[in-house]
PDB file of all heavy atoms in Angstrom:
ATOM      1  N   SER A   1       9.537  13.357 -20.223  1.00  0.00           N
ATOM      2  CA  SER A   1       8.310  13.214 -19.442  1.00  0.00           C
ATOM      3  C   SER A   1       7.290  14.175 -20.027  1.00  0.00           C
ATOM      4  O   SER A   1       7.658  15.214 -20.585  1.00  0.00           O
ATOM      5  CB  SER A   1       8.555  13.535 -17.961  1.00  0.00           C
ATOM      6  OG  SER A   1       9.018  14.870 -17.816  1.00  0.00           O
ATOM      7  N   VAL A   2       6.024  13.812 -19.951  1.00  0.00           N
ATOM      8  CA  VAL A   2       4.986  14.654 -20.535  1.00  0.00           C
ATOM      9  C   VAL A   2       4.034  15.131 -19.450  1.00  0.00           C
ATOM     10  O   VAL A   2       3.724  14.387 -18.505  1.00  0.00           O
ATOM     11  CB  VAL A   2       4.202  13.926 -21.650  1.00  0.00           C
ATOM     12  CG1 VAL A   2       5.129  13.545 -22.795  1.00  0.00           C
ATOM     13  CG2 VAL A   2       3.472  12.717 -21.118  1.00  0.00           C
ATOM     14  N   VAL A   3       3.594  16.357 -19.609  1.00  0.00           N
ATOM     15  CA  VAL A   3       2.594  16.945 -18.725  1.00  0.00           C
ATOM     16  C   VAL A   3       1.361  17.216 -19.572  1.00  0.00           C
ATOM     17  O   VAL A   3       1.411  18.026 -20.508  1.00  0.00           O
ATOM     18  CB  VAL A   3       3.101  18.250 -18.080  1.00  0.00           C
ATOM     19  CG1 VAL A   3       2.019  18.853 -17.184  1.00  0.00           C
ATOM     20  CG2 VAL A   3       4.384  18.007 -17.299  1.00  0.00           C
ATOM     21  N   LEU A   4       0.268  16.527 -19.269  1.00  0.00           N
ATOM     22  CA  LEU A   4      -0.974  16.725 -19.996  1.00  0.00           C
ATOM     23  C   LEU A   4      -1.788  17.784 -19.259  1.00  0.00           C
ATOM     24  O   LEU A   4      -2.169  17.587 -18.098  1.00  0.00           O
ATOM     25  CB  LEU A   4      -1.769  15.419 -20.074  1.00  0.00           C
ATOM     26  CG  LEU A   4      -1.035  14.197 -20.623  1.00  0.00           C
ATOM     27  CD1 LEU A   4      -1.986  13.019 -20.733  1.00  0.00           C
ATOM     28  CD2 LEU A   4      -0.403  14.503 -21.970  1.00  0.00           C
ATOM     29  N   ALA A   5      -2.053  18.884 -19.946  1.00  0.00           N
ATOM     30  CA  ALA A   5      -2.722  20.015 -19.306  1.00  0.00           C
ATOM     31  C   ALA A   5      -4.043  20.316 -19.996  1.00  0.00           C
ATOM     32  O   ALA A   5      -4.137  20.293 -21.226  1.00  0.00           O
ATOM     33  CB  ALA A   5      -1.819  21.255 -19.343  1.00  0.00           C
ATOM     34  N   GLY A   6      -5.039  20.618 -19.187  1.00  0.00           N
ATOM     35  CA  GLY A   6      -6.344  20.995 -19.716  1.00  0.00           C
ATOM     36  C   GLY A   6      -7.215  21.491 -18.584  1.00  0.00           C
ATOM     37  O   GLY A   6      -6.855  21.374 -17.405  1.00  0.00           O
ATOM     38  N   PRO A   7      -8.369  22.058 -18.890  1.00  0.00           N
ATOM     39  CA  PRO A   7      -9.203  22.664 -17.852  1.00  0.00           C
ATOM     40  C   PRO A   7      -9.766  21.679 -16.835  1.00  0.00           C
ATOM     41  O   PRO A   7     -10.047  22.057 -15.699  1.00  0.00           O
ATOM     42  CB  PRO A   7     -10.331  23.344 -18.649  1.00  0.00           C
ATOM     43  CG  PRO A   7     -10.340  22.664 -19.980  1.00  0.00           C
ATOM     44  CD  PRO A   7      -8.921  22.265 -20.243  1.00  0.00           C
ATOM     45  N   ALA A   8      -9.949  20.414 -17.216  1.00  0.00           N
ATOM     46  CA  ALA A   8     -10.510  19.413 -16.303  1.00  0.00           C
ATOM     47  C   ALA A   8      -9.388  18.557 -15.719  1.00  0.00           C
ATOM     48  O   ALA A   8      -8.844  17.695 -16.408  1.00  0.00           O
ATOM     49  CB  ALA A   8     -11.531  18.542 -17.035  1.00  0.00           C
ATOM     50  N   LEU A   9      -9.059  18.799 -14.465  1.00  0.00           N
ATOM     51  CA  LEU A   9      -7.948  18.082 -13.831  1.00  0.00           C
ATOM     52  C   LEU A   9      -8.169  16.584 -13.826  1.00  0.00           C
ATOM     53  O   LEU A   9      -7.236  15.808 -14.082  1.00  0.00           O
ATOM     54  CB  LEU A   9      -7.747  18.589 -12.401  1.00  0.00           C
ATOM     55  CG  LEU A   9      -6.710  17.837 -11.549  1.00  0.00           C
ATOM     56  CD1 LEU A   9      -5.327  17.909 -12.188  1.00  0.00           C
ATOM     57  CD2 LEU A   9      -6.679  18.400 -10.127  1.00  0.00           C
ATOM     58  N   HIS A  10      -9.396  16.132 -13.561  1.00  0.00           N
ATOM     59  CA  HIS A  10      -9.638  14.693 -13.474  1.00  0.00           C
ATOM     60  C   HIS A  10      -9.433  14.010 -14.825  1.00  0.00           C
ATOM     61  O   HIS A  10      -8.941  12.878 -14.882  1.00  0.00           O
ATOM     62  CB  HIS A  10     -11.050  14.420 -12.944  1.00  0.00           C
ATOM     63  CG  HIS A  10     -12.154  14.823 -13.880  1.00  0.00           C
ATOM     64  ND1 HIS A  10     -12.531  16.144 -14.072  1.00  0.00           N
ATOM     65  CD2 HIS A  10     -12.961  14.084 -14.695  1.00  0.00           C
ATOM     66  CE1 HIS A  10     -13.526  16.192 -14.932  1.00  0.00           C
ATOM     67  NE2 HIS A  10     -13.796  14.964 -15.336  1.00  0.00           N
ATOM     68  N   LYS A  11      -9.765  14.706 -15.917  1.00  0.00           N
ATOM     69  CA  LYS A  11      -9.532  14.128 -17.242  1.00  0.00           C
ATOM     70  C   LYS A  11      -8.040  14.077 -17.557  1.00  0.00           C
ATOM     71  O   LYS A  11      -7.546  13.100 -18.127  1.00  0.00           O
ATOM     72  CB  LYS A  11     -10.265  14.933 -18.306  1.00  0.00           C
ATOM     73  CG  LYS A  11     -11.782  14.834 -18.239  1.00  0.00           C
ATOM     74  CD  LYS A  11     -12.428  15.601 -19.386  1.00  0.00           C
ATOM     75  CE  LYS A  11     -13.938  15.491 -19.333  1.00  0.00           C
ATOM     76  NZ  LYS A  11     -14.583  16.244 -20.452  1.00  0.00           N
ATOM     77  N   ALA A  12      -7.312  15.140 -17.197  1.00  0.00           N
ATOM     78  CA  ALA A  12      -5.868  15.168 -17.438  1.00  0.00           C
ATOM     79  C   ALA A  12      -5.167  14.080 -16.638  1.00  0.00           C
ATOM     80  O   ALA A  12      -4.285  13.375 -17.142  1.00  0.00           O
ATOM     81  CB  ALA A  12      -5.310  16.543 -17.070  1.00  0.00           C
ATOM     82  N   THR A  13      -5.583  13.902 -15.384  1.00  0.00           N
ATOM     83  CA  THR A  13      -4.968  12.896 -14.527  1.00  0.00           C
ATOM     84  C   THR A  13      -5.265  11.486 -15.032  1.00  0.00           C
ATOM     85  O   THR A  13      -4.378  10.616 -15.051  1.00  0.00           O
ATOM     86  CB  THR A  13      -5.487  13.044 -13.081  1.00  0.00           C
ATOM     87  OG1 THR A  13      -5.179  14.368 -12.611  1.00  0.00           O
ATOM     88  CG2 THR A  13      -4.834  12.027 -12.165  1.00  0.00           C
ATOM     89  N   ALA A  14      -6.506  11.256 -15.454  1.00  0.00           N
ATOM     90  CA  ALA A  14      -6.879   9.924 -15.957  1.00  0.00           C
ATOM     91  C   ALA A  14      -6.109   9.587 -17.229  1.00  0.00           C
ATOM     92  O   ALA A  14      -5.636   8.458 -17.408  1.00  0.00           O
ATOM     93  CB  ALA A  14      -8.384   9.873 -16.206  1.00  0.00           C
ATOM     94  N   ALA A  15      -5.979  10.562 -18.136  1.00  0.00           N
ATOM     95  CA  ALA A  15      -5.245  10.329 -19.386  1.00  0.00           C
ATOM     96  C   ALA A  15      -3.772  10.048 -19.095  1.00  0.00           C
ATOM     97  O   ALA A  15      -3.158   9.170 -19.713  1.00  0.00           O
ATOM     98  CB  ALA A  15      -5.382  11.529 -20.311  1.00  0.00           C
ATOM     99  N   ALA A  16      -3.191  10.786 -18.153  1.00  0.00           N
ATOM    100  CA  ALA A  16      -1.782  10.583 -17.804  1.00  0.00           C
ATOM    101  C   ALA A  16      -1.563   9.217 -17.168  1.00  0.00           C
ATOM    102  O   ALA A  16      -0.558   8.543 -17.426  1.00  0.00           O
ATOM    103  CB  ALA A  16      -1.329  11.694 -16.857  1.00  0.00           C
ATOM    104  N   ARG A  17      -2.505   8.792 -16.352  1.00  0.00           N
ATOM    105  CA  ARG A  17      -2.373   7.491 -15.687  1.00  0.00           C
ATOM    106  C   ARG A  17      -2.287   6.361 -16.703  1.00  0.00           C
ATOM    107  O   ARG A  17      -1.542   5.391 -16.520  1.00  0.00           O
ATOM    108  CB  ARG A  17      -3.563   7.277 -14.755  1.00  0.00           C
ATOM    109  CG  ARG A  17      -3.417   6.053 -13.848  1.00  0.00           C
ATOM    110  CD  ARG A  17      -4.641   5.885 -12.942  1.00  0.00           C
ATOM    111  NE  ARG A  17      -4.845   7.072 -12.120  1.00  0.00           N
ATOM    112  CZ  ARG A  17      -5.927   7.863 -12.188  1.00  0.00           C
ATOM    113  NH1 ARG A  17      -6.888   7.582 -13.055  1.00  0.00           N
ATOM    114  NH2 ARG A  17      -6.045   8.903 -11.404  1.00  0.00           N
ATOM    115  N   ARG A  18      -3.033   6.489 -17.797  1.00  0.00           N
ATOM    116  CA  ARG A  18      -3.010   5.444 -18.824  1.00  0.00           C
ATOM    117  C   ARG A  18      -1.690   5.415 -19.584  1.00  0.00           C
ATOM    118  O   ARG A  18      -1.359   4.413 -20.219  1.00  0.00           O
ATOM    119  CB  ARG A  18      -4.173   5.652 -19.794  1.00  0.00           C
ATOM    120  CG  ARG A  18      -5.540   5.337 -19.188  1.00  0.00           C
ATOM    121  CD  ARG A  18      -6.634   5.321 -20.250  1.00  0.00           C
ATOM    122  NE  ARG A  18      -6.926   6.641 -20.758  1.00  0.00           N
ATOM    123  CZ  ARG A  18      -7.834   7.457 -20.239  1.00  0.00           C
ATOM    124  NH1 ARG A  18      -8.538   7.094 -19.164  1.00  0.00           N
ATOM    125  NH2 ARG A  18      -8.060   8.644 -20.780  1.00  0.00           N
ATOM    126  N   LEU A  19      -0.918   6.496 -19.532  1.00  0.00           N
ATOM    127  CA  LEU A  19       0.345   6.565 -20.265  1.00  0.00           C
ATOM    128  C   LEU A  19       1.530   6.058 -19.457  1.00  0.00           C
ATOM    129  O   LEU A  19       2.599   5.794 -20.012  1.00  0.00           O
ATOM    130  CB  LEU A  19       0.613   8.015 -20.714  1.00  0.00           C
ATOM    131  CG  LEU A  19      -0.302   8.564 -21.803  1.00  0.00           C
ATOM    132  CD1 LEU A  19      -0.061  10.055 -21.998  1.00  0.00           C
ATOM    133  CD2 LEU A  19      -0.090   7.823 -23.118  1.00  0.00           C
ATOM    134  N   GLY A  20       1.381   5.966 -18.132  1.00  0.00           N
ATOM    135  CA  GLY A  20       2.468   5.429 -17.324  1.00  0.00           C
ATOM    136  C   GLY A  20       3.163   6.452 -16.455  1.00  0.00           C
ATOM    137  O   GLY A  20       2.727   7.600 -16.306  1.00  0.00           O
ATOM    138  N   ASP A  21       4.302   6.026 -15.890  1.00  0.00           N
ATOM    139  CA  ASP A  21       4.985   6.810 -14.865  1.00  0.00           C
ATOM    140  C   ASP A  21       5.602   8.103 -15.381  1.00  0.00           C
ATOM    141  O   ASP A  21       5.880   9.013 -14.592  1.00  0.00           O
ATOM    142  CB  ASP A  21       6.095   5.969 -14.223  1.00  0.00           C
ATOM    143  CG  ASP A  21       5.541   4.784 -13.445  1.00  0.00           C
ATOM    144  OD1 ASP A  21       4.347   4.825 -13.086  1.00  0.00           O
ATOM    145  OD2 ASP A  21       6.306   3.816 -13.221  1.00  0.00           O
ATOM    146  N   ARG A  22       5.861   8.191 -16.688  1.00  0.00           N
ATOM    147  CA  ARG A  22       6.504   9.407 -17.210  1.00  0.00           C
ATOM    148  C   ARG A  22       5.496  10.467 -17.636  1.00  0.00           C
ATOM    149  O   ARG A  22       5.868  11.459 -18.271  1.00  0.00           O
ATOM    150  CB  ARG A  22       7.416   9.059 -18.388  1.00  0.00           C
ATOM    151  CG  ARG A  22       8.668   8.289 -17.965  1.00  0.00           C
ATOM    152  CD  ARG A  22       9.679   8.221 -19.099  1.00  0.00           C
ATOM    153  NE  ARG A  22       9.265   7.336 -20.159  1.00  0.00           N
ATOM    154  CZ  ARG A  22       9.401   7.583 -21.456  1.00  0.00           C
ATOM    155  NH1 ARG A  22       9.927   8.736 -21.850  1.00  0.00           N
ATOM    156  NH2 ARG A  22       9.018   6.708 -22.363  1.00  0.00           N
ATOM    157  N   ALA A  23       4.254  10.293 -17.263  1.00  0.00           N
ATOM    158  CA  ALA A  23       3.216  11.267 -17.604  1.00  0.00           C
ATOM    159  C   ALA A  23       2.478  11.696 -16.345  1.00  0.00           C
ATOM    160  O   ALA A  23       2.286  10.906 -15.418  1.00  0.00           O
ATOM    161  CB  ALA A  23       2.242  10.672 -18.611  1.00  0.00           C
ATOM    162  N   ARG A  24       2.088  12.950 -16.322  1.00  0.00           N
ATOM    163  CA  ARG A  24       1.234  13.431 -15.236  1.00  0.00           C
ATOM    164  C   ARG A  24       0.256  14.462 -15.793  1.00  0.00           C
ATOM    165  O   ARG A  24       0.513  15.080 -16.837  1.00  0.00           O
ATOM    166  CB  ARG A  24       2.059  14.042 -14.092  1.00  0.00           C
ATOM    167  CG  ARG A  24       2.839  15.290 -14.449  1.00  0.00           C
ATOM    168  CD  ARG A  24       3.694  15.740 -13.278  1.00  0.00           C
ATOM    169  NE  ARG A  24       4.519  16.899 -13.610  1.00  0.00           N
ATOM    170  CZ  ARG A  24       4.133  18.164 -13.422  1.00  0.00           C
ATOM    171  NH1 ARG A  24       2.936  18.429 -12.887  1.00  0.00           N
ATOM    172  NH2 ARG A  24       4.932  19.163 -13.739  1.00  0.00           N
ATOM    173  N   GLY A  25      -0.851  14.609 -15.123  1.00  0.00           N
ATOM    174  CA  GLY A  25      -1.877  15.541 -15.578  1.00  0.00           C
ATOM    175  C   GLY A  25      -1.991  16.737 -14.652  1.00  0.00           C
ATOM    176  O   GLY A  25      -1.812  16.610 -13.438  1.00  0.00           O
ATOM    177  N   VAL A  26      -2.281  17.892 -15.230  1.00  0.00           N
ATOM    178  CA  VAL A  26      -2.492  19.105 -14.439  1.00  0.00           C
ATOM    179  C   VAL A  26      -3.701  19.848 -14.989  1.00  0.00           C
ATOM    180  O   VAL A  26      -4.015  19.767 -16.186  1.00  0.00           O
ATOM    181  CB  VAL A  26      -1.259  20.047 -14.465  1.00  0.00           C
ATOM    182  CG1 VAL A  26      -0.041  19.348 -13.888  1.00  0.00           C
ATOM    183  CG2 VAL A  26      -0.980  20.545 -15.874  1.00  0.00           C
ATOM    184  N   GLY A  27      -4.374  20.557 -14.114  1.00  0.00           N
ATOM    185  CA  GLY A  27      -5.461  21.419 -14.543  1.00  0.00           C
ATOM    186  C   GLY A  27      -4.899  22.744 -15.031  1.00  0.00           C
ATOM    187  O   GLY A  27      -3.996  23.311 -14.399  1.00  0.00           O
ATOM    188  N   LEU A  28      -5.389  23.230 -16.165  1.00  0.00           N
ATOM    189  CA  LEU A  28      -4.867  24.481 -16.717  1.00  0.00           C
ATOM    190  C   LEU A  28      -5.934  25.202 -17.531  1.00  0.00           C
ATOM    191  O   LEU A  28      -6.511  24.623 -18.460  1.00  0.00           O
ATOM    192  CB  LEU A  28      -3.654  24.210 -17.611  1.00  0.00           C
ATOM    193  CG  LEU A  28      -3.030  25.444 -18.291  1.00  0.00           C
ATOM    194  CD1 LEU A  28      -2.425  26.380 -17.244  1.00  0.00           C
ATOM    195  CD2 LEU A  28      -1.979  25.033 -19.312  1.00  0.00           C
ATOM    196  N   ASP A  29      -6.159  26.460 -17.180  1.00  0.00           N
ATOM    197  CA  ASP A  29      -7.008  27.337 -17.979  1.00  0.00           C
ATOM    198  C   ASP A  29      -6.098  28.057 -18.967  1.00  0.00           C
ATOM    199  O   ASP A  29      -5.311  28.924 -18.581  1.00  0.00           O
ATOM    200  CB  ASP A  29      -7.719  28.341 -17.066  1.00  0.00           C
ATOM    201  CG  ASP A  29      -8.545  29.363 -17.844  1.00  0.00           C
ATOM    202  OD1 ASP A  29      -8.612  29.271 -19.094  1.00  0.00           O
ATOM    203  OD2 ASP A  29      -9.120  30.263 -17.195  1.00  0.00           O
ATOM    204  N   ALA A  30      -6.188  27.692 -20.234  1.00  0.00           N
ATOM    205  CA  ALA A  30      -5.268  28.234 -21.245  1.00  0.00           C
ATOM    206  C   ALA A  30      -5.483  29.709 -21.529  1.00  0.00           C
ATOM    207  O   ALA A  30      -4.683  30.323 -22.233  1.00  0.00           O
ATOM    208  CB  ALA A  30      -5.386  27.431 -22.541  1.00  0.00           C
ATOM    209  N   THR A  31      -6.541  30.297 -20.974  1.00  0.00           N
ATOM    210  CA  THR A  31      -6.766  31.735 -21.165  1.00  0.00           C
ATOM    211  C   THR A  31      -6.246  32.548 -19.989  1.00  0.00           C
ATOM    212  O   THR A  31      -6.301  33.784 -20.022  1.00  0.00           O
ATOM    213  CB  THR A  31      -8.270  32.025 -21.354  1.00  0.00           C
ATOM    214  OG1 THR A  31      -8.984  31.702 -20.155  1.00  0.00           O
ATOM    215  CG2 THR A  31      -8.829  31.219 -22.510  1.00  0.00           C
ATOM    216  N   SER A  32      -5.737  31.881 -18.952  1.00  0.00           N
ATOM    217  CA  SER A  32      -5.209  32.570 -17.778  1.00  0.00           C
ATOM    218  C   SER A  32      -3.725  32.854 -17.968  1.00  0.00           C
ATOM    219  O   SER A  32      -2.916  31.929 -18.039  1.00  0.00           O
ATOM    220  CB  SER A  32      -5.420  31.725 -16.521  1.00  0.00           C
ATOM    221  OG  SER A  32      -4.673  32.241 -15.429  1.00  0.00           O
ATOM    222  N   HIS A  33      -3.358  34.127 -18.038  1.00  0.00           N
ATOM    223  CA  HIS A  33      -1.954  34.498 -18.263  1.00  0.00           C
ATOM    224  C   HIS A  33      -1.052  33.951 -17.153  1.00  0.00           C
ATOM    225  O   HIS A  33       0.021  33.409 -17.423  1.00  0.00           O
ATOM    226  CB  HIS A  33      -1.823  36.021 -18.353  1.00  0.00           C
ATOM    227  CG  HIS A  33      -2.490  36.607 -19.555  1.00  0.00           C
ATOM    228  ND1 HIS A  33      -1.857  36.725 -20.770  1.00  0.00           N
ATOM    229  CD2 HIS A  33      -3.740  37.092 -19.724  1.00  0.00           C
ATOM    230  CE1 HIS A  33      -2.688  37.271 -21.646  1.00  0.00           C
ATOM    231  NE2 HIS A  33      -3.843  37.498 -21.042  1.00  0.00           N
ATOM    232  N   ALA A  34      -1.495  34.089 -15.889  1.00  0.00           N
ATOM    233  CA  ALA A  34      -0.661  33.649 -14.767  1.00  0.00           C
ATOM    234  C   ALA A  34      -0.490  32.134 -14.770  1.00  0.00           C
ATOM    235  O   ALA A  34       0.617  31.620 -14.588  1.00  0.00           O
ATOM    236  CB  ALA A  34      -1.283  34.109 -13.445  1.00  0.00           C
ATOM    237  N   ALA A  35      -1.586  31.402 -14.989  1.00  0.00           N
ATOM    238  CA  ALA A  35      -1.518  29.944 -14.965  1.00  0.00           C
ATOM    239  C   ALA A  35      -0.676  29.408 -16.123  1.00  0.00           C
ATOM    240  O   ALA A  35       0.135  28.491 -15.954  1.00  0.00           O
ATOM    241  CB  ALA A  35      -2.926  29.352 -15.018  1.00  0.00           C
ATOM    242  N   VAL A  36      -0.865  29.987 -17.295  1.00  0.00           N
ATOM    243  CA  VAL A  36      -0.101  29.531 -18.460  1.00  0.00           C
ATOM    244  C   VAL A  36       1.379  29.848 -18.278  1.00  0.00           C
ATOM    245  O   VAL A  36       2.246  29.025 -18.589  1.00  0.00           O
ATOM    246  CB  VAL A  36      -0.644  30.173 -19.755  1.00  0.00           C
ATOM    247  CG1 VAL A  36       0.301  29.926 -20.929  1.00  0.00           C
ATOM    248  CG2 VAL A  36      -2.026  29.615 -20.069  1.00  0.00           C
ATOM    249  N   SER A  37       1.669  31.026 -17.771  1.00  0.00           N
ATOM    250  CA  SER A  37       3.064  31.415 -17.557  1.00  0.00           C
ATOM    251  C   SER A  37       3.750  30.449 -16.608  1.00  0.00           C
ATOM    252  O   SER A  37       4.889  30.020 -16.841  1.00  0.00           O
ATOM    253  CB  SER A  37       3.137  32.841 -17.005  1.00  0.00           C
ATOM    254  OG  SER A  37       4.480  33.229 -16.785  1.00  0.00           O
ATOM    255  N   ALA A  38       3.072  30.073 -15.536  1.00  0.00           N
ATOM    256  CA  ALA A  38       3.664  29.148 -14.567  1.00  0.00           C
ATOM    257  C   ALA A  38       3.886  27.772 -15.190  1.00  0.00           C
ATOM    258  O   ALA A  38       4.923  27.141 -14.970  1.00  0.00           O
ATOM    259  CB  ALA A  38       2.749  29.035 -13.346  1.00  0.00           C
ATOM    260  N   ALA A  39       2.917  27.316 -15.971  1.00  0.00           N
ATOM    261  CA  ALA A  39       3.052  25.995 -16.596  1.00  0.00           C
ATOM    262  C   ALA A  39       4.174  25.976 -17.619  1.00  0.00           C
ATOM    263  O   ALA A  39       4.963  25.031 -17.682  1.00  0.00           O
ATOM    264  CB  ALA A  39       1.726  25.596 -17.245  1.00  0.00           C
ATOM    265  N   VAL A  40       4.259  27.022 -18.433  1.00  0.00           N
ATOM    266  CA  VAL A  40       5.284  27.092 -19.471  1.00  0.00           C
ATOM    267  C   VAL A  40       6.682  27.184 -18.859  1.00  0.00           C
ATOM    268  O   VAL A  40       7.636  26.582 -19.370  1.00  0.00           O
ATOM    269  CB  VAL A  40       5.013  28.285 -20.415  1.00  0.00           C
ATOM    270  CG1 VAL A  40       6.216  28.558 -21.327  1.00  0.00           C
ATOM    271  CG2 VAL A  40       3.762  28.022 -21.256  1.00  0.00           C
ATOM    272  N   SER A  41       6.805  27.916 -17.771  1.00  0.00           N
ATOM    273  CA  SER A  41       8.124  28.089 -17.152  1.00  0.00           C
ATOM    274  C   SER A  41       8.710  26.767 -16.670  1.00  0.00           C
ATOM    275  O   SER A  41       9.931  26.623 -16.567  1.00  0.00           O
ATOM    276  CB  SER A  41       8.034  29.078 -15.979  1.00  0.00           C
ATOM    277  OG  SER A  41       7.276  28.511 -14.903  1.00  0.00           O
ATOM    278  N   GLY A  42       7.861  25.804 -16.371  1.00  0.00           N
ATOM    279  CA  GLY A  42       8.345  24.514 -15.882  1.00  0.00           C
ATOM    280  C   GLY A  42       8.565  23.480 -16.969  1.00  0.00           C
ATOM    281  O   GLY A  42       8.864  22.320 -16.662  1.00  0.00           O
ATOM    282  N   ALA A  43       8.420  23.880 -18.227  1.00  0.00           N
ATOM    283  CA  ALA A  43       8.567  22.939 -19.344  1.00  0.00           C
ATOM    284  C   ALA A  43       9.762  23.323 -20.206  1.00  0.00           C
ATOM    285  O   ALA A  43      10.255  24.455 -20.157  1.00  0.00           O
ATOM    286  CB  ALA A  43       7.297  22.926 -20.190  1.00  0.00           C
ATOM    287  N   ASP A  44      10.222  22.377 -21.002  1.00  0.00           N
ATOM    288  CA  ASP A  44      11.286  22.651 -21.968  1.00  0.00           C
ATOM    289  C   ASP A  44      10.721  22.930 -23.360  1.00  0.00           C
ATOM    290  O   ASP A  44      11.267  23.733 -24.112  1.00  0.00           O
ATOM    291  CB  ASP A  44      12.248  21.459 -22.042  1.00  0.00           C
ATOM    292  CG  ASP A  44      12.963  21.232 -20.725  1.00  0.00           C
ATOM    293  OD1 ASP A  44      13.685  22.131 -20.285  1.00  0.00           O
ATOM    294  OD2 ASP A  44      12.769  20.148 -20.130  1.00  0.00           O
ATOM    295  N   ILE A  45       9.635  22.260 -23.712  1.00  0.00           N
ATOM    296  CA  ILE A  45       8.984  22.429 -25.009  1.00  0.00           C
ATOM    297  C   ILE A  45       7.478  22.391 -24.779  1.00  0.00           C
ATOM    298  O   ILE A  45       6.989  21.615 -23.948  1.00  0.00           O
ATOM    299  CB  ILE A  45       9.382  21.312 -26.000  1.00  0.00           C
ATOM    300  CG1 ILE A  45      10.890  21.304 -26.220  1.00  0.00           C
ATOM    301  CG2 ILE A  45       8.661  21.473 -27.335  1.00  0.00           C
ATOM    302  CD1 ILE A  45      11.381  20.128 -27.069  1.00  0.00           C
ATOM    303  N   VAL A  46       6.760  23.231 -25.519  1.00  0.00           N
ATOM    304  CA  VAL A  46       5.301  23.299 -25.376  1.00  0.00           C
ATOM    305  C   VAL A  46       4.646  22.866 -26.685  1.00  0.00           C
ATOM    306  O   VAL A  46       4.993  23.368 -27.759  1.00  0.00           O
ATOM    307  CB  VAL A  46       4.842  24.727 -25.016  1.00  0.00           C
ATOM    308  CG1 VAL A  46       3.312  24.786 -24.903  1.00  0.00           C
ATOM    309  CG2 VAL A  46       5.499  25.191 -23.720  1.00  0.00           C
TER     310      VAL A  46
END
């Protein structure tokens, strides 16, 4: 399953919707240590 992450949640969600049920979008500020840490902890590969 893929998680599409980027600063604009609506863009991430729209892109994931076009890929199907195994994709989802999340909002993520890649410069935020706390946000990135939480996102990475829930993934197997980045």
